[in-house]
Amino acid sequence: MNTVTGVKYANDPTIAMVELWGEIPAPNYPKPVGTTLQITDFYARSLAEWKADAPHILASSGGLSYINDAHSGIDWKSIMANPDNASCDVEVNSTGDLSVSVPSVAAYCKSLGK
């Protein structure tokens, strides 16, 4: 719900959102940018900083990949459950993303009320 207008985000044409990082490299894949804990902490710290600096502009983690690979090292549930993360974003680049990631994220985020 838009806290300024009272309009549901889905119906609000004036919404803008900042994504922190689209498709962060997975810790258990080649060329990682950090461990699972470091990546999860990056999102928690960065989302909190964004909210403190710009409390009226939504922010999200950005589209996460590798959700359909339980061994990727992305703790997507913790990242998406973060109360400063305004939405649940997933990258859809394969049939696995479409058939596994999207339903998993949709069900989980529905349980979070997102």
Side-chain angles (χ1 to χ4, degrees):
M1 179 83 60
N2 184 321
T3 58
V4 176
T5 65
V7 176
K8 281 182 148 183
Y9 288 141
N11 300 324
D12 192 334
T14 62
I15 295 300
M17 183 169 17
V18 171
E19 289 187 352
L20 296 181
W21 190 327
E23 294 187 84
I24 196 165
N28 296 335
Y29 282 29
K31 300 183 182 177
V33 295
T35 66
T36 299
L37 181 59
Q38 289 170 326
I39 288 172
T40 305
D41 287 348
F42 160 78
Y43 282 115
R45 182 180 62 257
S46 300
L47 287 163
E49 288 174 6
W50 182 268
K51 187 171 185 173
D53 290 342
H56 301 294
I57 300 174
L58 300 174
S60 77
S61 58
L64 297 175
S65 294
Y66 315 112
I67 293 170
N68 61 340
D69 178 358
H71 304 291
S72 70
I74 299 285
D75 186 2
W76 64 272
K77 287 185 176 181
S78 292
I79 294 166
M80 290 183 186
N82 183 308
D84 294 329
N85 195 352
S87 68
C88 299
D89 301 349
V90 61
E91 291 287 331
V92 179
N93 299 310
S94 68
T95 55
D97 291 335
L98 189 58
S99 64
V100 177
S101 301
V102 170
S104 296
V105 169
Y108 181 67
C109 291
K110 183 177 180 180
S111 75
L112 297 173
K114 292 186 178 186

